[in-house]
Amino acid sequence: MYILAIESSCDDTSAAVLQDDILLSNVTASQAVHEEYGGVVPELASRAHQQNIVPVVDAAIRRAGIKKEDLGAVAFTRGPGLMGSLLVGVSFAKGFARSLGVPMIDVNHLQGHVLAHFIKEKDEDHRQPTFPFLCLLVSGGNSQIVRVNSYKDMEIIGATIDDAAGECIDKCAKVMGLGYPGGPIIDKLAREGNPDAFEFSKPNIKGYDYSFSGLKTSFLYHLQDWQQDDPDFVEHHKADLAASLEKTVVDILMKKLRLAVKDTGIRQVAVAGGVSANTGLRNAFRDHAWRYHWTIFIPKFSYTTDNAAMIGITGYFKYLDKDFASIDLPAYARMA
Ligand code: KG4
């Protein structure tokens, strides 16, 4: 059974083809148009999706070595995300599935990130988590600790009460005058800096919830102070600032995750979402695995940021349950 999957929730137009749970192709067109604005411009994103969707789907089907008539279902991201962006993928997927006479499957984008750990590639000896496991889901829009009981049963036990980790990193990078998105730039700079050079404020929030707005403000105010004495402070301390910021974010993330592991007794721990590409966070996971005997699952780089492969694998599990969508199912920007 071949599934076509479509992802268009933010600024990546992506299409993938899976044969059952094996990934055959995963094609993504990223949108450079937002760089000069320092963030995603929703109207430009939906226009770019409209331009990209047909060539991206066509390339995914060709690279999979099949014809569109071979497809048995079409899965699509229904939300959460930017409404204008989602509508392009949702409308295209519905129309395409209808024209082929195959079922359509709606997928929650965040569940897709979590289930990316189940994507298999051909001839790959793939380690997968078993249920239950904990997943730290960290992206530009979310920072959550999810207790994953099964493919369908996921419980968010902790979430950010304000900014997401990726958003915080991106905004700090912006005040440093770095490009967008700041995450990968901070990561690169941090490798050359001293993570203990500067100290920024850490939140004091109960339970498993996160907060990153205080760190963002603390970073900004410290920088303004330092720049009064040295207007070129950023230029002189770029790498140390990046390394110290990264360390603070990783410490905040790992502290709550350790608490969740301790309280639930679940030692299988996965990480997912755009920020899971971060070297410091990946190293912290490896360190925790060794120190606390966790069994960890770190995704391939290509499955960290938005991609249709993760929508395809989630669609596959829903297909097995015959959990199909009706043509009138609307997209949603936020979770209810
Ligand atoms: O999951 P994602 O592609 O999009 C959503 O938010 O849904 O995540 C994007 C976020 C951005 O904030 C970006 O700066 C961050 O992931 N990011 C990173 C790295 N690569 C991407 N943050 C830190 N280090 C990285 N290497």
Side-chain angles (χ1 to χ4, degrees), residues 109 113 139-141 166-167 169-170 181-184 187 273-275 277-278 304-306:
H109 178 80
H113 271 302
S139 67
E167 188 181 355
I169 297 176
D170 290 346
D187 190 345
V275 183
N278 181 263
T304 56
T305 46
D306 294 345

Side-chain angles (χ1 to χ4, degrees), residues 190 194-196 198 202 242-252:
N194 172 8
D196 299 313
F198 304 108
K202 287 185 188 165
S244 303
L245 171 67
E246 182 188 275
K247 179 174 186 264
T248 313
V249 171
V250 170
D251 283 353
I252 296 171

Side-chain angles (χ1 to χ4, degrees), residues 9-12 109-110 113 138-142 165-170 180-188 246 273-279 301 304-306:
S9 66
C10 190
D11 60 341
D12 292 304
H109 178 80
L110 301 176
H113 271 302
V138 267
S139 67
N142 295 276
E167 188 181 355
C168 170
I169 297 176
D170 290 346
Y180 176 85
I185 306 170
I186 291 285
D187 190 345
K188 207 164 163 217
E246 182 188 275
V275 183
S276 69
N278 181 263
T279 313
F301 282 110
T304 56
T305 46
D306 294 345

Side-chain angles (χ1 to χ4, degrees), residues 10-183:
C10 190
D11 60 341
D12 292 304
T13 319
S14 186
V17 173
L18 283 80
Q19 181 172 22
D20 298 324
D21 57 351
I22 311 274
L23 182 70
L24 300 183
S25 64
N26 185 34
V27 179
T28 302
S30 300
Q31 304 176 357
V33 63
H34 308 286
E35 275 164 24
E36 62 179 293
Y37 299 96
V40 177
V41 183
E43 176 59 23
L44 295 180
S46 50
R47 285 187 204 189
H49 282 306
Q50 286 181 32
Q51 285 171 348
N52 292 341
I53 192 126
V54 171
V56 164
V57 167
D58 181 54
I61 293 174
R62 271 190 291 112
R63 280 189 207 171
I66 63 163
K67 295 193 287 301
K68 65 180 189 306
E69 292 75 21
D70 298 327
L71 291 168
V74 179
F76 60 90
T77 303
R78 186 180 161 210
L82 298 173
M83 189 45 99
S85 291
L86 286 164
L87 283 174
V88 178
V90 170
S91 314
F92 183 90
K94 285 179 179 175
F96 202 54
R98 242 317 147 82
S99 72
L100 295 171
V102 299
M104 47 196 110
I105 306 168
D106 64 302
V107 172
N108 174 303
H109 178 80
L110 301 176
Q111 286 192 349
H113 271 302
V114 173
L115 295 181
H117 290 281
F118 296 89
I119 300 167
K120 283 190 203 152
E121 289 177 22
K122 257 188 185 158
D123 309 321
E124 190 191 39
D125 182 17
H126 185 72
R127 270 174 77 243
Q128 294 186 344
T130 53
F131 301 112
F133 67 94
L134 295 178
C135 184
L136 175 69
L137 177 52
V138 267
S139 67
N142 295 276
S143 300
Q144 300 177 339
I145 299 179
V146 186
R147 184 191 156 113
V148 189
N149 300 317
S150 73
Y151 299 117
K152 290 184 289 186
D153 178 9
M154 298 186 196
E155 199 185 331
I156 298 166
I157 61 171
T160 181
I161 60 165
D162 41 54
D163 291 355
E167 188 181 355
C168 170
I169 297 176
D170 290 346
K171 284 182 178 161
C172 292
K174 197 171 177 178
V175 301
M176 284 173 71
L178 306 175
Y180 176 85

